[in-house]
Amino acid sequence: MSENLLNLLRQAGITPKKHGHNAKRGAEFCSPCPLCGGEDRFVTWPEAPTSGGGQGFFWCRGCDFSGDVIEFLRRVGGLTFKQAAARAGKRLPLRPPTLRLPGSPAPNTAKGPAKIAADGISSPSRPQGPELPGVLWREKLGHFVARCRERLAENKAALDELAARGIDPAAAARWRLGWNPGDRQGRDLYRDRAAWGAPPATRPDGRAKRLWLPVGLVIPAYSPAGDLLRVKIRRPRPQSGQLSGPRYYVVPGSSRELVLLDSGRPVVVVVEAELDALAVAALTPAAALALGSAQVKPSGAALAHLERARQILVALDADAPGAQACAWWLERFPRARRWPVPQGKDPGEAYAAGVDLNAWVRAGLNPRLKLELGGTLPGAAREISQVSPASGAPKSEPLSERSEFGEPGRSERGENRESERRSGKGAPAPAEIPPSVLELAELLADAPVVFEWSRTSGRQRLVCRSKAFDRAHPGRVRRISELFFFDPAVENYLIDHPAEEISAANLLYRGRVPGQGANPQPERG
């Protein structure tokens, strides 16, 4: 059964409204764009025939996102082309056989080049780089970004607004932010599309559109190799009245590839807006990924990085769409956890309200990363030191006041553990613990899962004390079960464990690793 664009929009939490009827494309619907938001900029013609023989076409007047059902499923649903085509009910043609001359080498039928690891096991190669915009586009927009960078240094109001969101001038320069002042009268710029390498577009009356470069904050995105991928412009709000058109505008011709900032870090914080990602990358030990919209799913290099990440903190906006989209992340990535900001709806608002983003991220780390990065141990007191940028007055707020964090608050036991850690008497260092035990500690963090076993009868069982958690994290619970019951290193570690009921709170216990000649002692709080 083929998919319908209107149904796909509703599944993404968007309700399209009928706007009119087009003589060539049929019924016309308008709605917010699943990528850039807005109110009615996303136009859908569910009955329009497509060049591939399908039905249904869409176009966003804000970010220029357009295509058919397959493109929607790929970009918004995060599916591969084959998966999207199958769901759209389209059969792909069979690839014809390859003719080969006698004596010539056989063709490589692998999906991608493979490399041989040191242990002799072949592993898939790294994902291919992102698809780049055209050379002319990158040249013209590269000069545009460079000029705008110079103008930002002269715009104190724009720099102050960035600083209020956690992006100081050094961070703005690092990420090559800029300011487009427009023409001499401060009006938006318009350029010839062909001369700038932008894709052609026509108005409803058939006239060619010019390339629009509105006044505003210029936010470029670059590939790891330094190639310009995308230019987005954040338009300022007018002093009176409402802003006409989109708040965020993606320059046509930009790549849709998601860019991970500081990808070499072990933790990834997933946010919606680019400015929030810049603040997280600048102020915390985590990498940051901006989706642009809560409904966008990662693919390509960004997906590969997320699958290798040791922890993912999903910090989508603290609103209904963000909470709805979060469920996909928790099911797709076993090491993901929901981690909204304690104040406001996003990291930018939280910083403006005085939240220390560095402390907020560190409070969400799993036990192993807490030990490695110098954070607190499980169960320790978690407070966010807050300093208001405006007043400079320090204050602190327990993170546990926001219930969805699932974090324990201040306790005497937690304070004792923190003092033991500082004195070297707490949990063993990460180097002393088997890797599979440390992986288990990561998975157990904030999970209502308990492993029970009896020394006398030998009876063992794994208990998940929340059916909702079990349904939301089936892959995570399954991996916890595999480690507890089938991993030899975990089994040896648990033989000498002093407790018969093991959870995230006591898995890492005081003393040396079992088998090294020391009698481990449990932590005493």
Side-chain angles (χ1 to χ4, degrees), residues 181-524:
D183 61 16
R184 294 183 179 180
Q185 287 75 38
R187 298 173 301 191
D188 297 343
L189 300 177
Y190 290 89
R191 297 291 184 263
D192 181 79
R193 282 178 170 250
W196 279 60
T202 56
R203 300 177 180 276
D205 59 5
R207 291 187 302 166
K209 279 186 176 182
R210 304 194 75 192
L211 181 63
W212 179 37
L213 299 173
V215 172
L217 182 69
V218 177
I219 310 171
Y222 291 85
S223 71
D227 296 305
L228 182 62
L229 294 176
R230 180 173 53 256
V231 176
K232 179 178 284 191
I233 300 177
R234 183 176 186 261
R235 302 172 64 208
R237 299 186 186 277
Q239 295 181 353
S240 60
Q242 293 184 347
L243 181 66
S244 175
R247 170 75 158 157
Y248 287 90
Y249 168 75
V250 179
V251 176
S254 297
S255 169
R256 296 172 183 153
E257 184 84 11
L258 298 180
V259 178
L260 193 67
L261 304 180
D262 286 333
S263 58
R265 298 176 178 179
V267 183
V268 178
V269 177
V270 180
V271 296
E272 294 187 29
E274 284 82 358
L275 293 182
D276 292 330
L278 296 178
V280 168
L283 300 175
T284 77
L289 179 67
L291 302 178
S293 171
Q295 286 77 30
V296 173
K297 305 298 188 297
S299 61
L303 178 60
H305 280 297
L306 289 167
E307 290 175 339
R308 293 195 301 267
R310 293 168 59 189
Q311 186 167 9
I312 301 172
L313 300 179
V314 184
L316 301 179
D317 289 358
D319 52 20
Q324 182 180 7
C326 187
W328 179 88
W329 288 85
L330 300 183
E331 181 177 357
R332 175 63 177 78
F333 300 100
R335 291 185 175 87
R337 69 182 304 186
R338 189 184 181 201
W339 197 246
V341 290
Q343 292 190 43
K345 70 179 181 65
D346 55 45
E349 288 188 3
Y351 181 86
V355 174
D356 183 341
L357 297 184
N358 181 41
W360 163 66
V361 168
R362 289 179 179 273
L365 299 180
N366 59 52
R368 180 179 182 179
L369 289 172
K370 279 187 171 71
L371 291 171
E372 293 181 2
L373 300 179
T376 57
L377 288 173
R382 292 185 175 96
E383 287 190 350
I384 291 183
S385 174
Q386 299 178 334
V387 180
S388 171
S391 64
K395 59 180 179 178
S396 53
E397 173 188 340
L399 206 60
S400 56
E401 288 186 5
R402 191 169 251 198
S403 59
E404 64 260 35
F405 286 173
E407 291 293 322
R410 179 180 296 276
S411 66
E412 181 182 356
R413 176 173 180 165
E415 291 173 348
N416 289 339
R417 284 184 177 176
E418 175 65 6
S419 63
E420 284 187 354
R421 183 188 68 79
R422 292 176 178 173
S423 64
K425 299 178 181 179
E432 299 176 337
I433 304 175
S436 54
V437 176
L438 291 173
E439 179 188 358
L440 181 60
E442 293 180 11
L443 296 172
L444 283 176
D446 78 287
V449 177
V450 176
F451 179 74
E452 299 175 350
W453 69 293
S454 171
R455 287 188 178 87
T456 56
S457 65
R459 183 172 178 266
Q460 302 177 355
R461 68 170 183 163
L462 190 67
V463 180
C464 183
R465 294 176 174 172
S466 170
K467 292 184 178 179
F469 184 91
D470 195 10
R471 288 193 299 267
H473 306 272
R476 186 172 171 185
V477 174
R478 182 169 59 251
R479 180 57 179 161
I480 291 174
S481 177
E482 291 173 354
L483 289 172
F484 266 124
F485 290 106
F486 304 109
D487 189 274
V490 173
E491 182 181 2
N492 291 334
Y493 182 86
L494 295 179
I495 288 176
D496 294 329
H497 200 290
E500 294 188 355
E501 187 174 287
I502 301 168
S503 64
N506 65 351
L507 176 65
L508 304 180
Y509 60 92
R510 179 181 173 184
R512 297 178 62 188
V513 176
Q516 293 185 349
N519 294 322
Q521 298 297 324
E523 293 185 64
R524 300 188 182 276

Side-chain angles (χ1 to χ4, degrees), residues 111-198:
K111 294 184 178 180
K115 59 182 181 179
I116 305 300
D119 55 5
I121 302 174
S122 62
S123 59
S125 63
R126 298 179 65 178
Q128 298 291 329
E131 184 177 350
L132 299 177
V135 176
L136 180 59
W137 186 95
R138 282 182 282 147
E139 179 185 349
K140 289 290 188 179
L141 270 298
H143 291 315
F144 172 75
V145 170
R147 292 195 300 271
C148 292
R149 290 181 63 190
E150 297 175 357
R151 298 296 181 268
L152 178 62
E154 305 166 357
N155 192 325
K156 185 178 183 302
L159 289 174
D160 289 344
E161 184 177 357
L162 288 173
R165 298 181 63 93
I167 305 172
D168 61 14
R174 180 190 176 196
W175 302 114
R176 309 184 205 185
L177 301 183
W179 179 264
N180 177 24
D183 61 16
R184 294 183 179 180
Q185 287 75 38
R187 298 173 301 191
D188 297 343
L189 300 177
Y190 290 89
R191 297 291 184 263
D192 181 79
R193 282 178 170 250
W196 279 60

